[in-house]
Amino acid sequence: MFLEIFNELLSENELNKKQFAEKSGIPYTTVIGWTKLNRLPDYTALIKIFDYFQCSLDYLTGRRSDYDSVIFASNVSSAEQTLIKNFRKLNSENKELIKSLTANLAGKTKDG
């Protein structure tokens, strides 16, 4: 179950295993161990995966099918939830564009 979910997250985020390893700080050999040798990640790796993809540990381990359970569990408005859901659907280039745009808008708001 974990491997299917992990591969789906990689695909949705347009990442290969090596890119994920570099960006998450998890050694590539560890990632290959999960995917080629059917090993399961340890606690530290699960936390890094959770942090990277911003999904729940229940989702990663197959206990819940709701990817967004973390969003709904926290104190986030419905408008923020919609933004997060839409952001997650974007390709990496558009995600960078949105991050830049929001950073610029936030800077303009502070400075008036």
Side-chain angles (χ1 to χ4, degrees):
M1 181 61 85
F2 165 77
L3 185 55
E4 293 168 8
I5 294 167
F6 179 69
N7 284 330
E8 184 178 304
L9 288 169
L10 290 176
S11 177
E12 288 174 5
N13 288 274
E14 299 179 358
L15 292 170
N16 62 39
K17 294 170 186 84
K18 187 167 186 142
Q19 290 168 324
F20 170 76
E22 291 170 356
K23 292 180 179 193
S24 68
I26 299 172
Y28 179 64
T29 54
T30 301
V31 175
I32 292 301
W34 306 333
T35 58
K36 300 280 187 197
L37 304 174
N38 290 325
R39 293 183 181 156
L40 292 174
D42 64 14
Y43 175 79
T44 305
L46 279 173
I47 297 297
K48 286 183 178 183
I49 299 166
F50 160 79
D51 286 341
Y52 186 84
F53 290 116
Q54 302 208 344
C55 61
S56 73
L57 290 174
D58 282 341
Y59 177 76
L60 281 177
T61 56
R63 292 184 59 200
R64 291 190 66 153
S65 60
D66 185 4
Y67 180 88
D68 296 318
S69 60
V70 167
I71 295 171
F72 299 117
S74 62
N75 192 13
V76 177
S77 73
S78 62
E80 290 169 322
Q81 290 174 16
T82 300
L83 284 170
I84 293 167
K85 284 182 183 180
N86 290 336
F87 181 82
R88 288 180 172 169
K89 294 176 186 176
L90 299 173
N91 64 31
S92 55
E93 182 180 331
N94 286 333
K95 285 180 180 178
E96 289 303 317
L97 180 64
I98 294 299
K99 289 192 293 188
S100 177
L101 175 63
T102 56
N104 287 334
L105 289 173
K108 289 180 182 176
T109 303
K110 289 180 183 177
D111 297 334

